[in-house]
């Protein structure tokens, strides 16, 4: 599948306006070359992980590599790679990697907010947010929440210091208009962070849409093999990113070199994975739509999804996650047990399809039969057949086999 599989958004999110080689290439080319150093004879194309707590450092202690908590050459290559995808051609942007998505999220929140500040969070975002909220409030930060859909966060924005957006939201797959929210926030001097986990940088480029930070869990589709935890923050160089870097140093939230290297290696196949997985997700969503027992179906790529119009303006690919509700907990459990090609597991974005009943965690405001299904890289026909067979079995319309 080539780059033409990507959808071109209506508001010019393609334009980076730099004319550099990297920004001019297609997503697949950019992904396979992202962050690679200049070729050196007899050296590998992607140097292996550098395991070092410290570096030889005679005399004046100047960088780039002094101590392993501050910098590591394997991080640098990965940070360059992610930066080239999040903000192609922009030399003024930097990326910092973290050991998990939560490490990255916490670094932004706790480095930007002070006691007495107000932050606006999504009320339907990642399920750890209630814990984050409690911690922020314990530090004297006022927390306001509103749903992602309908740009409802705008209504509670006044006097905030930071607006946190998660679009598409996990697990409800609602979408908000990042450009609109960022413009309104900036007009009031409010910083904007976008959680780009579900979309990946090949699905959406928050900085081009006006955000100050693009923050993500690289644990999901960015690395895509279900074997690495990672996170990152991308933003323009300056005071705000300096504070994020300082937070990484003082909290010591640093990625292991092996994980960073695995992530970099995985990024070379990102375009193939996101195109394949998004195409199959759309096929599956269309098939689910035909099923009478399936309710509340959401996939931003479905033309009649409530998010489709906004998503089409700002997203270049619609992601690998489909969500829907079956009639009750027992029905959903029968469905999950009957699947053979879809692992019952949390997380999403990996090459092996996975699904779970979100209600089992108790954190999301979802019906008992709500399923989040992450579409992998299996052959679309095999996956579709497996899901339809499991639906039949769960509904009791076939003899057990
Ligand atoms: C949207 C979103 N953001 C952040 C995170 C946290 O990422 P991690 O598990 O890598 O800490 C998750 C994890 O599921 C997520 O779904």
């Amino acid at each position: 599948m080539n780059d033409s599989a990507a959808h071109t958004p209506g508001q010019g999110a393609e334009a980076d306006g730099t004319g550099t080689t990297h920004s001019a290439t297609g997503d697949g080319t950019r992904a396979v070359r992202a962050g690679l150093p200049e070729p050196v004879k007899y050296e590998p194309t992607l140097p292996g992980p550098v395991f070092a707590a410290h570096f030889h450092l005679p005399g004046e202690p100047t960088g780039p590599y002094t101590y392993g908590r501050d910098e590591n050459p394997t991080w640098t290559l990965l940070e360059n790679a992610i930066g080239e995808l999040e903000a192609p051609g922009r030399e003024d942007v930097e990326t910092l990697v973290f050991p998990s998505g939560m490490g990255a999220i916490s670094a932004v929140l706790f480095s930007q907010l002070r006691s007495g500040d107000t932050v606006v969070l999504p009320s339907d975002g990642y399920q750890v947010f209630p814990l984050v909220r409690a911690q922020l409030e314990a530090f004297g930060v006022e927390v306001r929440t509103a749903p992602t859909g309908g740009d409802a966060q705008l209504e509670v924005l006044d006097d905030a210091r930071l607006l946190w957006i998660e679009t598409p939201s996990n697990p409800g797959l609602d979408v908000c208009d990042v450009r609109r929210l960022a413009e309104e926030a900036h007009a009031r001097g409010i910083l904007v962070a976008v959680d780009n986990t579900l979309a990946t940088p090949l699905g959406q480029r928050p900085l081009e849409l006006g955000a100050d930070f693009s923050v993500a869990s690289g644990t999901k589709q960015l690395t895509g093999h279900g074997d690495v935890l990672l996170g990152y923050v991308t933003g323009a160089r300056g005071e705000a990113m300096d504070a994020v870097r300082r937070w990484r140093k003082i909290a010591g939230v640093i990625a292991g070199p092996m994980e960073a290297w695995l992530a970099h290696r995985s990024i070379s196949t990102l375009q193939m994975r996101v195109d394949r997985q998004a195409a199959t997700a759309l096929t599956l969503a269309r098939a689910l739509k035909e099923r009478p027992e399936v309710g509340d179906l959401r996939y931003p790529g479905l033309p009649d999804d409530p998010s489709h119009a906004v998503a089409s303006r700002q997203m270049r690919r619609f992601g690998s996650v489909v969500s829907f509700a079956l009639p009750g907990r027992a029905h959903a459990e029968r469905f999950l047990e009957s699947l053979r090609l879809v692992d019952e597991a949390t997380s999403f974005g990996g090459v092996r399809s996975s699904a779970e009943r979100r209600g089992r965690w108790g954190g999301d405001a979802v019906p008992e039969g709500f399923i989040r299904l992450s579409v992998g890289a299996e052959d679309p026909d095999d996956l579709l057949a497996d899901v339809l067979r499991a639906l039949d079995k769960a509904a009791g319309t076939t003899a057990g086999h």
Side-chain angles (χ1 to χ4, degrees), residues 37 43-51 72-75 77 257-258 260-262:
E43 292 293 322
T45 46
L46 174 62
V50 176
F51 297 104
N72 175 293
T74 312
W75 301 350
L77 296 179
M258 189 69 201
W261 181 83
L262 277 169

Side-chain angles (χ1 to χ4, degrees), residues 51-354:
F51 297 104
H54 58 263
F55 300 86
H56 288 296
L57 192 66
E60 283 303 307
T62 52
Y65 302 108
T66 56
Y67 185 59
R69 179 162 32 77
D70 293 339
E71 280 298 347
N72 175 293
T74 312
W75 301 350
T76 307
L77 296 179
L78 173 62
E79 289 170 347
N80 291 343
I82 295 171
E84 286 167 22
L85 302 181
E86 280 281 352
R90 275 192 61 182
E91 298 294 328
D92 63 326
V93 161
E94 67 177 328
T95 294
L96 296 169
V97 292
F98 289 84
S100 66
M102 283 315 302
I105 290 172
S106 297
V108 173
L109 290 172
F110 293 104
S111 68
Q112 306 302 314
L113 295 167
R114 313 267 177 283
S115 170
D117 286 344
T118 297
V119 61
V120 174
L121 302 178
S123 56
D124 51 354
Y126 177 48
Q127 63 164 357
V128 169
F129 267 96
L131 293 178
V132 173
R133 175 184 192 147
Q135 190 61 59
L136 287 166
E137 286 173 346
F139 287 154
V141 174
E142 187 193 332
V143 178
R144 292 189 207 132
T145 62
T148 300
D151 302 341
Q153 287 177 299
L154 276 179
E155 283 153 37
V156 292
L157 211 50
D158 275 342
D159 304 322
R161 158 111 185 109
L162 176 69
L163 166 64
W164 193 276
I165 295 170
E166 187 179 300
T167 180
S169 61
N170 171 26
L173 303 181
D174 256 328
V175 170
C176 59
D177 185 336
V178 177
R179 201 179 284 276
R180 177 176 176 222
L181 285 161
E183 273 170 15
E184 294 270 353
H186 287 161
R188 301 176 214 184
I190 300 166
L191 286 168
V192 178
V194 174
D195 186 320
N196 207 26
T197 303
L198 252 131
T200 83
L202 295 193
Q204 175 170 274
R205 296 183 196 142
L207 267 51
E208 286 178 3
L209 298 170
D212 300 290
F213 304 101
S214 180
V215 188
S217 167
T219 312
K220 311 291 188 290
Q221 199 167 20
L222 187 81
T223 58
H225 293 70
D227 50 13
V228 169
L229 280 111
L230 200 97
Y232 69 86
V233 181
T234 302
R237 281 176 219 283
E239 234 176 84
M241 283 301 282
D242 287 349
V244 177
R245 184 184 288 279
R246 197 162 54 243
W247 178 267
R248 182 170 74 174
K249 179 184 175 88
I250 62 178
V253 273
I254 56 167
M258 189 69 201
E259 283 76 7
W261 181 83
L262 277 169
H264 198 163
R265 194 184 70 150
S266 302
I267 284 174
S268 55
T269 57
L270 183 62
Q271 185 254 10
M272 286 185 279
R273 290 185 282 109
V274 293
D275 276 355
R276 163 73 159 229
Q277 291 173 246
T280 310
L282 181 59
T283 304
L284 186 71
R286 288 200 164 114
L288 288 168
K289 213 170 149 234
E290 302 304 317
R291 300 288 302 207
E293 74 273 45
V294 166
D296 298 335
L297 176 67
R298 296 300 303 266
Y299 182 65
L302 271 179
D304 56 353
D305 187 274
S307 293
H308 188 68
V310 184
S312 304
R313 288 205 297 274
Q314 67 191 20
M315 296 183 75
R316 306 170 67 242
R317 297 171 174 88
F318 298 113
S320 62
V321 180
V322 176
S323 68
F324 57 97
L326 290 172
R329 175 178 174 159
H331 196 125
E333 285 174 348
R334 284 199 302 278
F335 168 67
L336 292 169
E337 278 161 20
S338 306
L339 291 163
R340 291 188 194 135
L341 295 180
V342 182
D343 297 333
E344 185 172 354
T346 196
S347 202
F348 55 85
V351 289
R352 285 176 286 279
S353 292
S354 62

